[in-house]
Amino acid sequence: MGDSENNRPDANNPDELITSNDPEHPANLICTLCRNFYTLGWVTGTGGGTSIVRGSHIFIAPSGVQKELMQPENMFVLDYSSRSYIRTPPALKPSACTPLFLAAFDRGAGCCIHTHSQWAVLVTLLVERDALANKENVEERCFEIEKIEQIKGIPQGRGKPGMLGFFDRLRVPIIENTAHEEDLTQSLEVAMDKYPDTYAVLVRRHGVYDSLTFVPR
């Protein structure tokens, strides 16, 4: 997906950063992903968020735009090293998920997706119910599942070859929700460091930071 040496974006025209006919260019791909998530019911309205790293640039979907209506010109572009915006669309606000996206990218992710899947929310409540029934510490419990075909599509972990098998156990950490999205950052970082093989972190009564999905760069 890289630009050729003679076709690099003009630093004086940041709109070139989000202009491409390549459907896999982050500015285009984020729009496609957001429309698909809306169709699947993973996000509604302006909820959720998506971000992709490409080279030294981080492309971030904005706050306040209907997911099914997202366009490339709505994208924010952040310089990875300086953490400063090099493209800011007019009249839009950066995603409140941005600090959490950065936490994932600092740990090797290439893409980070946050959804408000009702199934993810339900799972966090079921785990809480079972922990309370068994007089266990709710905050120490993960979502765990094994002997189910679908986990065979999930990698073993970052830097590990192969995928999970039918008899393997998938563990997805759960963190507690906060009043403001950015306040999740510290607990998210702790969960990612404690479970380095995870490709997602659930947020109780909120959703998931496939909320965090990790895709190698």
Side-chain angles (χ1 to χ4, degrees), residues 37-52:
F37 298 157
Y38 173 81
T39 300
L40 290 167
W42 293 359
V43 295
T44 57
T46 64
T50 306
S51 182
I52 296 175

Side-chain angles (χ1 to χ4, degrees), residues 141-157:
R141 285 287 303 270
C142 295
F143 168 62
E144 302 184 38
I145 192 168
E146 61 184 5
K147 297 180 182 177
I148 189 166
E149 187 71 10
Q150 283 76 8
I151 68 172
K152 291 165 67 176
I154 299 175
Q156 288 277 358

Side-chain angles (χ1 to χ4, degrees), residues 73-94:
E73 56 265 29
N74 301 141
M75 296 301 122
F76 285 81
V77 183
L78 197 69
D79 178 73
Y80 196 165
S81 59
S82 68
R83 307 294 168 102
S84 60
Y85 288 101
I86 53 179
R87 183 183 189 275
T88 303
L92 292 177
K93 295 191 296 185

Side-chain angles (χ1 to χ4, degrees), residues 23-181:
E24 294 191 355
H25 183 283
N28 297 325
L29 185 55
I30 287 174
C31 297
T32 301
L33 290 171
C34 287
R35 284 192 291 270
N36 289 341
F37 298 157
Y38 173 81
T39 300
L40 290 167
W42 293 359
V43 295
T44 57
T46 64
T50 306
S51 182
I52 296 175
V53 177
R54 187 194 198 199
S56 61
H57 298 144
I58 300 174
F59 295 78
I60 308 171
S63 175
V65 176
Q66 297 283 126
K67 292 297 180 285
E68 74 277 20
L69 302 178
M70 193 77 66
Q71 298 296 325
E73 56 265 29
N74 301 141
M75 296 301 122
F76 285 81
V77 183
L78 197 69
D79 178 73
Y80 196 165
S81 59
S82 68
R83 307 294 168 102
S84 60
Y85 288 101
I86 53 179
R87 183 183 189 275
T88 303
L92 292 177
K93 295 191 296 185
S95 172
C97 303
T98 300
L100 295 101
F101 293 155
L102 293 174
F105 297 148
D106 287 344
R107 288 160 176 78
C111 173
C112 187
I113 298 162
H114 174 45
T115 74
H116 293 161
S117 164
Q118 60 184 330
W119 307 115
V121 173
L122 179 60
V123 160
T124 68
L125 296 176
L126 291 174
V127 171
E128 179 183 57
R129 181 200 63 183
D130 291 349
L132 293 173
N134 294 321
K135 298 182 179 179
E136 298 172 345
N137 185 344
V138 173
E139 294 184 0
E140 293 296 320
R141 285 287 303 270
C142 295
F143 168 62
E144 302 184 38
I145 192 168
E146 61 184 5
K147 297 180 182 177
I148 189 166
E149 187 71 10
Q150 283 76 8
I151 68 172
K152 291 165 67 176
I154 299 175
Q156 288 277 358
R158 284 177 280 171
K160 296 182 179 180
M163 313 296 275
L164 291 174
F166 180 76
F167 293 103
D168 290 326
R169 176 169 291 194
L170 171 68
R171 291 180 176 86
V172 182
I174 303 172
I175 62 176
E176 298 301 325
N177 195 29
T178 58
H180 303 287
E181 196 91 29

